[in-house]
């Protein structure tokens, strides 16, 4: 069983107030140009101007006295001033950068109530508890609350003595009575603002039919004049546009910081059958006493991995997934947060709202579902600003499993988008040339100069020279041969049989089936098996070919057969250029593919070109 949508999590324990409140991440985010080179997307203003604002003394006092923080992080004050002036704001800051303060602090300083719409019970419980610990007048409305508690909150809301902040899920906002109550509060001037936390879900869960998030598009018309804040760590320009339109935000542009997390080290490794002992060695050698997260794609896998780490490698690991009882989840999360267990092996149900500062590694035992998810999941690491390692293990098998799962659903736009997501992930993991950080950031349409990666990814650390070889013509011949062979009787081809046909094999079955008579049989005999296997993989990941699984009637085992998805004759083919740069101990001359070819990317949207030697950064553009 797989956890696809983050399910409600139990709360985590009270954060102490607060040993990481002036954590080094402040430095990192606030000095991006000098220390990390990558400038924030919105230029910080000269804050002396903002310090002249009439409300500044109140704001500054709240920062130190209520929130017990010493200074603002980059752009926090700018956003807070907009909020104090009753403007809509769209805050696009990376994970762990301190978005919450941009609405919590003004809420404390302003008259009226700020309503915070948040997707997960765990996020709500957590922020509610942390704010109460700071002495802020905050309430929440959750389905799971005791009747008496809920009634008390309703009574407060009805009496006009409203709290400064009210947290609820989007579904609560839709419930009977809530709209009329809020309209009454609005007419009495008691409604200060709506805040939509994790606003990317308006688009994402719109796709997965979380209707209540989509319904937020009526806030502006139902409560005209009430300002809105939208907050997220991840939104492509399209998603930003979608959020702005759906919420009818009146903004000039989002407040944006670079999504770069400079203290995260990105590493991608092929997954072998020894993956668990590799993981155990990595933990024992590098982080024997530190905390980490291991993400798996299914509930069963989480349980299995945690058990092996415990029983075989004597590591302190427990599993966590949405199939567990609330109480068990709460207990595991508490044990991990407090450091009694060091490793949590989880599905993506464990993610949003996890604010443990000292997570030193995040390992993906299976492929993440999307690059967006990968960014969010790795974003749980290093929230204290200190280095954290992110290792992703990938295998073609995991890709097919995910694809099969997606295709198990009826055709829909969402299914297509999910398929697109996993293909992009494969594009990322197999691009072992371009800076990983640059690839991740490019997904968010952010240009990143790999120089500023400071060798904090496995591609930047790898100095092996490489060349690009243009195999478009070979790929086209291969597809034409495949189309031709698959029109014949008994024409099912497995990938090894197809490679053999491309190499011109005279094996008995190739001859018997008449494949050797095809004029294109053997047309790629000049390529090594490795290069051909990679070419076929590229065509699979980019949907020129697909895999059909057939269960054998005798042994019950599944066999993978290739099928055609996109014909070589289609114009889309020319837009994708499978390339296969090869590795060698010395610089390779163009066209010299070594049989140990093991670095390859598919440079999409790049015009086919003659091969030539260039730097990795010149050669590759983002998919
Ligand atoms: N000005 C500040 N100085 C020091 N610490 C801060 C400051 N602002 C926020 N923090 C701390 O940074 C941590 C992350 O803040 P917050 O939870 O608001 O991040 P976020 O941007 O919402 O991240 P995510 O999107 O991952 O949930 C918290 O522990 C918070 O107390």
């Amino acid at each position: 069983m797989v956890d696809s949508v983050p399910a409600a999590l139990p709360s985590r324990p009270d954060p102490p107030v607060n040993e990481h409140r002036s954590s080094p991440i402040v430095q990192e985010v606030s000095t991006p140009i000098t220390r990390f080179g990558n400038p924030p997307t919105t230029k910080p203003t000269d804050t002396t101007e903002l310090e002249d604002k009439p409300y500044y003394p109140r704001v500054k006092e709240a920062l130190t006295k209520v929130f017990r923080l010493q200074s603002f992080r980059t752009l926090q004050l700018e956003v807070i001033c907009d909020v104090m002036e009753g403007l809509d704001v769209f805050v696009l800051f990376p994970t762990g950068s301190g978005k919450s303060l941009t609405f919590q602090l003004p809420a404390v300083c302003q008259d009226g109530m700020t309503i915070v719409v948040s997707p997960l019970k765990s996020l709500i419980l957590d922020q509610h508890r942390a704010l109460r610990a700071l002495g802020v007048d905050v309430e929440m409305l959750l389905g799971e609350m005791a009747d008496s508690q809920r009634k008390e909150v309703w009574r407060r809301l009805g009496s006009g003595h409203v709290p400064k902040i009210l947290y609820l899920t989007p579904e609560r906002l839709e419930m009977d009575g809530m709209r009329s109550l809020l309209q009454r509060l609005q007419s009495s001037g008691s409604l200060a603002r709506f805040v939509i936390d994790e606003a990317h879900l308006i688009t994402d869960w719109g796709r997965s039919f979380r209707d209540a998030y989509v319904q937020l598009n009526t806030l502006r018309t139902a409560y005209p004049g009430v300002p809105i804040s939208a907050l997220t760590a991840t939104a492509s320009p399209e998603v930003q546009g979608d959020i702005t339109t759906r919420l009818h935000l009146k903004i000039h542009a989002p407040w944006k910081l670079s999504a770069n997390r400079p203290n995260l080290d990105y590493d991608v490794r092929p997954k072998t059958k020894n993956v668990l002992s590799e993981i155990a060695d990595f933990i024992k050698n590098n982080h024997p006493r530190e905390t980490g997260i291991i993400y798996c794609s299914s509930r069963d896998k989480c349980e299995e991995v945690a058990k092996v780490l415990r029983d075989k490698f004597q590591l302190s690991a427990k599993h966590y997934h949405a199939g567990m009882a609330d109480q068990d989840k709460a207990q595991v999360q508490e044990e991990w947060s407090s450091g009694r267990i060091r490793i949590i092996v989880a599905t993506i149900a464990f993610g949003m709202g996890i604010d443990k500062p000292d997570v030193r590694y995040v390992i993906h035992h299976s492929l993440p579902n999307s690059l967006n998810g990968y960014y969010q999941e790795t974003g749980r690491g290093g929230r204290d600003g200190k280095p954290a390692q992110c290792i992703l293990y990938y295998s073609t098998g995991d890709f097919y499993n995910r694809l099969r799962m997606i295709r198990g659903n009826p055709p829909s736009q969402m299914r297509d988008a999910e398929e697109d997501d996993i293909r992009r992930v494969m594009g990322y993991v197999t691009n072992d040339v371009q800076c990983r950080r640059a690839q991740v950031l490019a997904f968010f349409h952010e240009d990143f100069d790999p120089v500023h990666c400071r060798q904090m990814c496995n591609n930047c650390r790898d100095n092996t020279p490489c060349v690009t070889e243009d195999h478009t013509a070979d790929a086209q011949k291969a597809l034409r041969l495949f189309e031709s062979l698959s029109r014949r009787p008994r024409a099912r081809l497995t990938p090894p049989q197809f490679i053999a046909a491309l190499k011109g094999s005279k094996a008995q079955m190739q001859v018997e089936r008449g494949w050797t008579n095809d004029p294109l049989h053997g047309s790629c005999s000049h390529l090594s098996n490795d290069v051909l296997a990679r070419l076929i993989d590229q065509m699979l990941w980019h949907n020129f070919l697909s895999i059909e699984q057939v269960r054998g009637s005798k042994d019950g085992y599944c066999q993978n057969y290739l099928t055609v998805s996109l014909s070589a004759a289609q114009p889309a083919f020319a837009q994708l250029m499978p390339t296969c740069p090869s590795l060698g101990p010395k610089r390779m001359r163009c066209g010299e593919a070594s049989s140990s070819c093991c670095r390859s990317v598919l440079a999409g949207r790049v015009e086919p070109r003659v091969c030539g030697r260039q730097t990795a950064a010149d050669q590759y553009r983002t998919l």
Side-chain angles (χ1 to χ4, degrees):
M1 180 92 192
V2 172
D3 295 343
S4 54
V5 172
L9 306 177
S11 62
R12 61 179 192 262
D14 261 344
V17 181
N18 181 336
E19 64 256 3
H20 62 278
R21 294 194 83 73
S22 55
S23 60
I25 203 167
V26 184
Q27 272 301 93
E28 299 195 347
V29 176
S30 62
T31 55
I33 297 173
T34 52
R35 281 192 63 189
F36 303 108
N38 193 37
T41 325
T42 309
K43 207 167 171 278
T45 9
D46 177 5
T47 50
T48 46
E49 229 175 78
L50 303 176
E51 288 164 16
D52 288 339
K53 301 273 186 191
Y55 45 78
Y56 180 75
R58 239 185 315 153
V59 162
K60 181 75 194 183
E61 191 183 359
L63 179 77
T64 52
K65 299 244 166 82
V66 180
F67 291 91
R68 301 180 211 170
L69 298 170
Q70 282 145 24
S71 56
F72 290 108
R73 288 178 173 174
T74 309
L75 291 188
Q76 276 182 327
L77 182 59
E78 284 86 336
V79 179
I80 287 171
C81 289
D82 269 8
V83 174
M84 291 299 291
E85 291 176 19
L87 302 174
D88 286 347
V89 293
F90 188 165
V91 183
L92 191 55
F93 291 178
T95 48
S97 57
K99 290 182 283 299
S100 315
L101 195 76
T102 66
F103 66 84
Q104 291 174 342
L105 189 148
V108 168
C109 297
Q110 285 176 318
D111 291 336
M113 176 171 72
T114 293
I115 301 212
V116 186
V117 182
S118 185
L120 295 182
K121 189 179 116 190
S122 61
L123 286 175
I124 295 180
L125 285 169
D126 194 47
Q127 297 212 354
H128 177 265
R129 200 180 331 210
L131 286 170
R132 282 254 165 122
L134 296 171
V136 175
D137 184 4
V138 55
E139 296 287 1
M140 60 181 176
L141 274 174
L142 290 174
E144 296 76 0
M145 280 162 61
D147 266 2
S148 56
Q149 263 181 308
R150 210 174 22 243
K151 276 190 192 138
E152 175 53 24
V153 178
W154 276 98
R155 193 198 58 70
R156 268 201 83 178
L157 297 177
S159 72
H161 293 296
V162 289
K164 287 289 180 195
I165 304 179
L166 173 69
Y167 278 91
L168 27 82
T169 54
E171 285 78 11
R172 289 270 127 194
L173 198 62
E174 289 299 300
M175 285 192 159
D176 275 355
M178 185 53 83
R179 287 218 167 213
S180 52
L181 174 78
L182 294 184
Q183 266 147 3
R184 255 185 292 134
L185 288 175
Q186 186 193 359
S187 30
S188 66
S190 307
L191 208 50
R193 170 171 297 268
F194 286 106
V195 176
I196 316 302
D197 202 4
E198 309 290 352
H200 60 280
L201 299 180
I202 292 179
T203 297
D204 279 10
W205 284 1
R207 247 166 49 182
S208 342
F209 313 115
R210 175 134 176 191
D211 278 347
Y213 245 90
V214 181
Q215 287 310 313
L216 295 174
N217 61 7
T218 60
L219 284 180
R220 175 95 316 148
T221 38
Y223 311 98
V226 178
I228 299 177
S229 296
L231 278 66
T232 179
T234 51
S236 64
E238 297 83 60
V239 173
Q240 289 166 36
D242 194 41
I243 293 170
T244 308
T245 311
R246 284 177 195 245
L247 292 176
H248 307 279
L249 295 181
K250 294 183 197 138
I251 52 162
H252 181 58
W255 287 103
K256 239 181 192 181
L257 282 172
S258 164
N260 185 23
R261 293 286 311 278
N263 56 326
L264 298 188
D265 184 295
Y266 297 100
D267 195 340
V268 177
R269 303 177 183 182
K271 183 160 150 184
T272 65
K273 57 182 186 333
N274 298 326
V275 61
L276 287 183
S277 68
E278 275 184 40
I279 291 177
D281 284 348
F282 165 80
I283 296 171
K284 286 181 177 174
N285 295 333
N286 299 285
H287 305 285
R289 268 172 252 296
E290 291 164 326
T291 307
I293 305 174
I294 300 176
Y295 280 109
C296 297
S297 57
S298 71
R299 298 173 183 183
D300 292 347
K301 206 44 159 186
C302 288
E303 298 190 12
E304 181 195 320
V305 169
K307 186 166 168 17
V308 174
L309 292 180
R310 264 193 325 267
D311 297 352
K312 187 163 172 204
F313 298 102
Q314 289 75 50
L315 286 167
S316 159
K318 281 199 177 171
H319 66 265
Y320 181 107
H321 56 66
M324 293 159 63
D326 274 0
Q327 214 184 345
D328 296 340
K329 282 189 293 191
Q331 190 185 330
V332 173
Q333 190 173 343
E334 199 281 317
E335 286 175 338
W336 178 78
S337 300
S338 63
R340 285 203 299 289
I341 56 161
R342 302 223 170 83
I343 306 161
I344 197 149
V345 187
T347 60
I348 52 170
F350 188 78
M352 264 189 281
I354 304 300
D355 189 27
K356 186 168 167 54
D358 54 352
V359 175
R360 296 276 70 90
Y361 57 92
V362 177
I363 295 175
H364 279 82
H365 173 275
S366 330
L367 286 176
N369 292 344
S370 65
L371 283 183
N372 200 340
Y374 179 61
Y375 178 79
Q376 289 277 357
E377 286 140 30
T378 51
R380 301 299 125 202
R383 288 163 79 84
D384 54 6
K386 295 180 188 160
Q389 286 178 275
C390 307
I391 302 179
L392 192 169
Y393 286 96
Y394 75 95
S395 72
T396 321
D398 282 350
F399 168 69
Y400 294 138
N401 284 343
R402 175 72 189 144
L403 208 57
R404 249 195 316 280
M405 230 187 71
I406 296 169
R407 290 188 175 171
N409 296 317
S412 67
Q413 257 185 321
M414 182 182 146
R415 198 178 88 161
D416 293 347
E418 284 179 346
E419 213 176 298
D420 205 40
D421 284 343
I422 193 65
R423 289 184 194 288
R424 276 172 181 243
V425 171
M426 278 318 268
Y428 170 74
V429 297
T430 55
N431 180 343
D432 56 4
V433 174
Q434 192 189 26
C435 169
R436 298 250 169 240
R437 188 177 306 281
Q439 293 186 64
V440 170
L441 293 174
F443 178 73
F444 298 112
H445 300 253
E446 207 178 302
D447 268 340
F448 180 80
D449 184 343
V451 166
H452 302 306
C453 178
R454 300 172 304 134
Q455 307 241 314
M456 289 275 285
C457 81
N458 67 322
N459 287 354
C460 286
R461 280 192 290 272
D462 187 345
N463 295 322
T464 323
C466 55
V467 295
T468 300
E469 294 170 358
D470 180 353
H471 289 293
T472 310
D474 296 321
Q476 284 170 334
K477 274 188 274 179
L479 262 190
R480 277 205 299 275
L481 173 65
F482 187 82
E483 282 183 311
S484 156
L485 296 186
S486 51
R487 278 196 295 269
R488 293 164 188 252
R490 298 171 66 208
R492 272 192 186 143
L493 274 85
T494 63
Q497 288 165 353
F498 183 39
I499 290 176
L502 286 165
K503 295 277 289 182
S505 157
K506 298 279 182 314
Q508 196 184 352
M509 68 84 76
Q510 302 255 341
V511 178
E512 270 173 18
R513 294 182 188 189
W515 293 352
T516 44
N517 302 330
D518 196 294
L520 286 166
H521 190 266
S523 59
C524 292
S525 56
H526 58 291
L527 298 180
S528 68
N529 281 8
D530 272 357
V531 172
L532 284 173
R534 287 185 155 256
L535 209 58
I536 292 172
D537 280 347
Q538 301 276 12
M539 291 196 279
L540 281 164
W541 298 328
H542 291 85
N543 209 21
F544 294 107
L545 294 175
S546 32
I547 284 277
E548 187 189 357
Q549 253 197 353
V550 179
R551 192 176 289 279
S553 52
K554 288 191 196 125
D555 52 16
Y557 284 111
C558 284
Q559 181 66 269
N560 285 336
Y561 291 103
L562 294 166
T563 59
V564 181
S565 314
L566 189 59
S567 155
Q570 280 174 263
F573 190 86
Q575 284 163 18
L576 290 170
M577 181 187 70
T579 66
C580 190
S582 52
L583 258 189
K586 53 186 176 13
R587 282 177 81 88
M588 310 282 303
R589 281 217 324 276
C590 300
E592 266 183 6
S594 90
S595 59
S596 64
C597 172
C598 58
R599 283 157 74 93
S600 94
V601 294
L602 190 138
R605 297 198 215 105
V606 181
E607 288 302 310
R609 58 179 138 174
V610 285
C611 58
R613 278 188 241 155
Q614 290 149 344
T615 64
D618 290 338
Q619 283 173 8
Y620 299 102
R621 308 252 182 88
T622 325
L623 290 176

